[in-house]
Amino acid sequence: MPALKERKKLRFTSGDTTCAAWHYPGTNGGCVIMAGGTAVTKEPASDRFAQRFHDAGFAVLAFDHRGFGESGGVPRQVVRLDEQRADWQAAIGCAAELPDVDPDKISLWGFSLAGGHIFQVAADNPRLASAIAQSPLVDGPALAPHALRSMTPLAFLRLFGRGIADALGSLLGRPPLLVPTAGVRGAVASLTTADAMDGDRALDPDHRYPNWERTVAARIALQIGGYRPGRHAPRIQCPLLVVVCDQDQSALPGPAVRAAHNAPDSEVLHLPGRHYAPFLDAHEQAVEAEIAFLEKHLR
């Protein structure tokens, strides 16, 4: 994998800490900023797509949100939605200063929860050249009833009880109470939808990422149901590509399609399969469409 040998580690300041990132040098002035959802770190989230973007001539800046992976910040494994969006803002500033990047040719790429962040971050940055939201979580209230139906009553009570205890404990300075990011129905996990367990074989089939911690602070169960980044779609001025998986059970395709249609300049790519299809059977279709989109708007 030549691209992995060419990339360099760097850090950029975000808030009171720093975020770790891989910088793949580019040749055409364009740059794609990438991050994954919930607790997915930069390598499993971006490696396969970043290599292809790099091969097409684009620079890539793939980063960990603060509190995850190699980035700084405490407590660890805690999703703070406003801080994650601030990390994206800091990444845009970092990318604009890279020597191989034209500040007017920067695109965003986010998957799952990070794909949802794309909507507000893109809306707040009209100078962006384009944005790609892949299997994005755009409407928590629309997703919540479906996610709850995927849980058993006992697992629901235990998860939300742990979430409340975690949130209250944080006010007292206690360490986060962690739960697995994915589990089978009946497990106490952040997500137990039908395709939640596809993540390991999609993102780490060869067990290349032993340091990837697949846990998250339980308070996320109290947050996601109210998160609606798709409502910012009408303010997005740059071209937007929304990649939806038609059998997605973890983020749902319908809300993503509706949000895309509310953006002034958007395209929707429908893929067969479930939440992680862009990393599995639909990978070639996804990456080829995304490269074509980037070449159209960043060259």
Side-chain angles (χ1 to χ4, degrees):
M1 298 181 180
L4 298 185
K5 296 179 180 179
E6 292 185 37
R7 68 186 184 181
K8 303 293 184 183
K9 189 73 62 66
L10 60 78
R11 306 188 75 89
F12 57 86
T13 299
S14 184
D16 58 359
T17 188
T18 60
C19 291
W22 285 115
H23 169 221
Y24 298 71
T27 58
N28 63 22
C31 180
V32 187
I33 301 174
M34 307 181 71
T38 312
V40 183
T41 51
K42 58 188 178 300
E43 292 85 5
S46 70
D47 275 3
R48 293 183 69 195
F49 283 86
Q51 290 180 67
R52 298 289 293 275
F53 297 161
H54 169 79
D55 291 344
F58 300 103
V60 173
L61 186 70
F63 73 96
D64 289 326
H65 294 107
R66 71 182 87 171
F68 293 90
E70 296 180 303
S71 288
V74 291
R76 308 296 295 175
Q77 303 302 116
V78 177
V79 171
R80 290 189 171 97
L81 300 171
D82 56 342
E83 290 186 355
Q84 291 198 349
R85 292 192 300 270
D87 295 341
W88 279 92
Q89 194 68 47
I92 293 171
C94 174
E97 296 179 355
L98 293 173
D100 55 330
V101 174
D102 181 338
D104 290 318
K105 294 182 179 181
I106 292 176
S107 182
L108 308 182
W109 181 102
F111 170 70
S112 196
L113 179 59
H117 295 336
I118 292 297
F119 282 77
Q120 183 168 349
V121 178
D124 291 341
N125 290 272
R127 190 178 178 183
L128 290 170
S130 68
I132 299 172
Q134 183 172 283
S135 305
L137 194 164
V138 300
D139 192 335
L143 175 63
H146 175 77
L148 292 177
R149 286 193 296 271
S150 73
M151 301 179 187
T152 63
L154 179 58
F156 166 79
L157 292 174
R158 292 177 65 192
L159 175 63
F160 276 79
R162 195 168 181 82
I164 292 170
D166 180 41
L168 293 176
S170 70
L171 301 177
L172 302 174
R174 294 174 180 168
L177 296 176
L178 304 179
V179 296
T181 53
V184 298
R185 178 176 169 82
V188 180
S190 174
L191 200 62
T192 58
T193 48
D195 51 4
M197 296 300 289
D198 293 346
D200 282 355
R201 69 184 182 92
L203 304 179
D204 192 16
D206 302 320
H207 307 291
R208 295 174 54 213
Y209 311 116
N211 296 323
W212 172 26
E213 185 173 346
R214 297 157 170 84
T215 63
V216 66
R219 70 195 75 169
I220 194 172
L222 312 179
Q223 299 172 291
I224 296 301
Y227 190 42
R228 300 187 64 203
R231 72 185 189 276
H232 297 280
R235 296 195 296 113
I236 299 175
Q237 297 185 30
C238 69
L240 172 68
L241 174 63
V242 178
V243 181
V244 298
C245 303
D246 288 335
Q247 288 78 46
D248 192 334
Q249 298 295 302
S250 294
L252 300 183
V257 171
R258 290 192 291 272
H261 290 164
N262 288 330
D265 185 2
S266 66
E267 302 176 31
V268 177
L269 172 65
H270 286 268
L271 298 177
R274 307 199 297 185
H275 188 61
Y276 293 97
F279 296 89
L280 296 168
D281 293 344
H283 177 66
E284 281 303 315
Q285 186 179 351
V287 74
E288 289 177 6
E290 291 173 9
I291 289 173
F293 177 80
L294 294 170
E295 289 179 336
K296 178 180 178 181
H297 298 292
L298 268 66
R299 285 202 183 279

